[in-house]
Amino acid sequence: MKNGVLALAVLISMGMTSTAQAKQDVCVFDLLGKAGESYKMMEEWRLAAKGWNADIQLIAYQNEERADEDFKAGKCDAVYMTTMRARSYNKFAGSVDALGGVPSNAIAQKAIVYVLDKRNIKRLKTNIDGVDYEVGGIGQIGPAYIFVKDKRINTIEKGVGKRFAVLEYDKAQIAMVKRVGAIPVPSDVSDFVAKFNKGQADMVGAPAYAYKPLEIEKGLGQTGAMVDFPVLNVTADLIFNTAKFPMGFGERSRTWFIKQLPRQFAMVKRLEDGIPAKYRIDLSKEEREKYQKLLRDGRIELTKQGIYDASMMSVLKRARCSVDRTNFECSLGGE
């Protein structure tokens, strides 16, 4: 009997050791591959994860679609990619980058911290085709601005009939571009700026993170400009297969991501400061309000279509109005 108990104890111990030592492959998308800021942050996350009984190997991707495909195929146990693409795994977290929903870093901070709060644990878990997925973190990439080939395209009306490079998998972008009367040019993260640079698109939306790596300056030339109004806040989500990671891993990971936010916002500021002032177009108060109304109407419609999560739209509105109580939308219903 004693031998049987001893053998059972040894087997349990071996099982626990095996679980602790199980390796996890994580696909990481970064425009610059291993040289990028996102990948470097994930390297630090990997080291921290050792303390959470995870033994992680990062796999760098400069093609986001391939990273997602490999994750779906089970070649990776988790994936770190833009929230726009990750929305298909979790609409709640995936709506934090709603068009016009997060117009400043102060609001972004509030929104991301709220999403990752332990009170939202159920909302951060989904089951798709029998697989349990969980959001393990949200990283800040930065506000996206509209870059134009011709600085005379400085109002919404002047964008009518212009070609706008959009991410073809993001229905929200496509719908919004059509709403302003522009022509969507279907693209991927790997080529959306290239189409702008080559003259295949007159306009493109991108964060400062992409400015130097994707050589947006080439597309701007002598006549181009950046409209200094953030149309959306670009973030990245860590999505993982819950069964492949130790118990409690998600909560520890999310806590770690929240602690990185101040550093990430500092990175965004540094990258934005690197864009020459000569390219910036400041909008009038009237024009800014036009953009805000357009984006608000778009969010409401996209939420009705089921693209955005309704509860997240309410959260974002509260965050916006807590920072700017004089905003016209704060007295309006609908979100």
Side-chain angles (χ1 to χ4, degrees), residues 6 15-16 45 57 69 87 103 110 116 121 128 159 164 173 190 193 205 208-209 264 280 288 298 311-312 323 329:
L6 180 62
M16 290 175 65
W45 171 82
Q57 174 179 306
E69 288 175 351
R87 192 181 302 139
K110 285 176 177 285
L116 299 180
I121 181 64
I128 303 172
F164 199 120
Q173 280 191 44
S190 60
V193 171
Y209 194 95
Q264 291 181 338
R280 296 174 183 266
R288 292 176 78 86
S311 61
M312 180 52 63
V323 173
E329 68 170 331

Side-chain angles (χ1 to χ4, degrees), residues 4 6 12 45 48 57 85 119 137 140 160 177 253 264-265 334:
L6 180 62
I12 292 173
W45 171 82
Q57 174 179 306
R85 192 180 283 275
R119 290 173 294 181
Q140 172 72 355
V160 174
V177 167
S253 180
Q264 291 181 338
F265 286 120

Side-chain angles (χ1 to χ4, degrees), residues 13-314:
S13 174
M14 288 175 65
M16 290 175 65
T17 303
S18 173
T19 300
Q21 293 180 346
K23 291 183 181 293
Q24 295 89 13
D25 289 334
V26 177
C27 300
V28 178
F29 166 68
D30 192 307
L31 287 171
L32 295 180
K34 292 183 178 180
E37 299 277 359
S38 291
Y39 187 86
K40 289 175 182 176
M41 183 196 72
M42 291 302 290
E43 284 185 316
E44 294 183 26
W45 171 82
R46 179 183 67 82
L47 291 173
K50 287 185 176 182
W52 315 330
N53 293 325
D55 185 3
I56 289 167
Q57 174 179 306
L58 302 181
I59 305 171
Y61 287 78
Q62 289 178 270
N63 183 312
E64 187 182 40
E65 183 178 12
R66 188 171 300 166
D68 188 22
E69 288 175 351
D70 282 358
F71 178 54
K72 283 186 171 76
K75 295 179 181 178
C76 302
D77 303 307
V79 62
Y80 187 68
M81 59 185 175
T82 61
T83 298
M84 286 174 281
R85 192 180 283 275
R87 192 181 302 139
S88 61
Y89 295 94
N90 190 290
K91 188 162 68 172
F92 175 71
S95 298
V96 77
D97 68 347
L99 289 159
V102 179
S104 73
N105 284 339
I107 295 168
Q109 170 93 18
K110 285 176 177 285
I112 294 172
V113 169
Y114 173 80
V115 174
L116 299 180
D117 189 277
K118 61 180 68 175
R119 290 173 294 181
N120 289 318
I121 181 64
K122 290 184 178 179
R123 290 171 162 177
L124 296 173
K125 294 182 177 182
T126 51
N127 183 284
I128 303 172
D129 297 330
V131 179
D132 289 323
Y133 295 105
E134 190 170 339
V135 179
I138 299 176
Q140 172 72 355
I141 295 176
Y145 301 93
I146 296 177
F147 293 88
V148 296
K149 283 279 187 186
D150 187 338
K151 63 183 67 176
R152 290 175 295 182
I153 308 174
N154 58 357
T155 66
I156 293 172
E157 292 80 9
K158 291 178 182 177
V160 174
K162 303 299 181 185
R163 298 163 300 169
F164 199 120
V166 298
L167 299 176
E168 60 186 345
Y169 56 82
D170 187 6
K171 295 177 181 178
Q173 280 191 44
I174 295 171
M176 189 56 70
V177 167
K178 288 181 177 178
R179 180 178 279 268
V180 300
I183 303 167
V185 178
S187 315
D188 191 75
V189 172
S190 60
D191 68 359
F192 76 121
V193 171
K195 289 184 178 180
F196 175 72
N197 289 350
K198 293 176 182 177
Q200 296 169 3
D202 307 298
M203 308 164 72
V204 68
Y209 194 95
Y211 182 76
K212 283 188 177 178
L214 300 184
E215 300 179 310
I216 293 178
E217 194 167 5
K218 287 185 177 179
L220 294 174
Q222 299 299 314
T223 60
M226 182 188 90
V227 180
D228 205 358
F229 177 87
V231 289
L232 64 86
N233 185 62
V234 183
T235 54
D237 288 358
L238 173 67
I239 305 292
F240 67 94
N241 182 332
T242 307
K244 301 289 186 179
F245 288 80
M247 188 174 293
F249 180 85
E251 184 175 343
R252 290 172 173 175
S253 180
R254 290 187 289 273
T255 298
W256 185 90
F257 268 86
I258 288 173
K259 291 178 179 176
Q260 311 313 306
L261 287 175
R263 184 177 64 168
Q264 291 181 338
F265 286 120
M267 173 201 73
V268 171
K269 185 180 185 308
R270 172 171 54 82
L271 294 174
E272 289 188 348
D273 288 346
I275 299 176
K278 67 179 181 178
Y279 289 125
R280 296 174 183 266
I281 294 178
D282 287 321
L283 297 178
S284 65
K285 182 180 178 182
E286 180 185 28
E287 201 62 35
R288 292 176 78 86
E289 196 163 295
K290 265 191 200 176
Y291 269 102
Q292 288 175 335
K293 287 179 178 177
L294 177 76
L295 293 169
R296 178 180 183 274
D297 291 344
R299 284 194 308 275
I300 291 173
E301 180 60 33
L302 292 165
T303 303
K304 288 178 181 177
Q305 293 176 20
I307 293 173
Y308 289 147
D309 180 84
S311 61
M312 180 52 63
M313 295 307 98
S314 296

